[in-house]
Amino acid sequence: MPLELRDRTATVIDALVVEDVEPFVGWLRTTERPRVNLRRCTHLHTGAVQAMLVFRPKISAAPSDHFLAMHLLPLIEAAPDPTEPADPANGGDPR
């Protein structure tokens, strides 16, 4: 299975496809301080990416895949915290 869901850490192995997105989102929604291990991830469905942008889990291991590490990981780690108030002087971005 490409998605292993544990108490506080989800591990993505190979490709996380559309069929895995719903259980992943449910796990993110119900897990306090979730962590995601992307070390062995080679592909993320856009729904999984969107879920990580919303729920902002801690990435416990960066992906080994060059594209994901260089282009996707910075977006996930830099996503603004939706619980912080927006800063109008910064275009609404709370950072």
Side-chain angles (χ1 to χ4, degrees), residues 44-81:
L44 286 171
H45 185 274
T46 55
V49 174
Q50 292 171 5
M52 286 195 282
L53 292 172
V54 170
F55 292 102
R56 302 186 68 232
K58 174 159 179 53
I59 305 301
S60 62
S64 298
D65 180 86
H66 178 74
F67 179 84
L68 293 176
M70 295 300 296
H71 300 287
L72 198 55
L73 187 61
L75 294 175
I76 294 169
E77 291 181 330
D81 186 343

Side-chain angles (χ1 to χ4, degrees), residues 1 3-7 9-12 16-36 44-57:
M1 181 172 193
L3 180 62
E4 295 176 358
L5 303 173
R6 303 280 185 240
D7 289 338
T9 301
T11 301
V12 180
L16 195 151
V17 296
V18 66
E19 292 82 10
D20 301 317
V21 172
E22 186 176 348
F24 183 56
V25 170
W27 178 85
L28 286 170
R29 181 178 290 131
T30 60
T31 303
E32 188 176 330
R33 294 187 308 239
R35 300 168 60 89
V36 178
L44 286 171
H45 185 274
T46 55
V49 174
Q50 292 171 5
M52 286 195 282
L53 292 172
V54 170
F55 292 102
R56 302 186 68 232

Side-chain angles (χ1 to χ4, degrees), residues 12-15 38 40-44 65 68:
V12 180
I13 301 167
D14 298 323
L38 296 174
R40 296 169 52 196
C41 179
T42 58
H43 172 81
L44 286 171
D65 180 86
L68 293 176

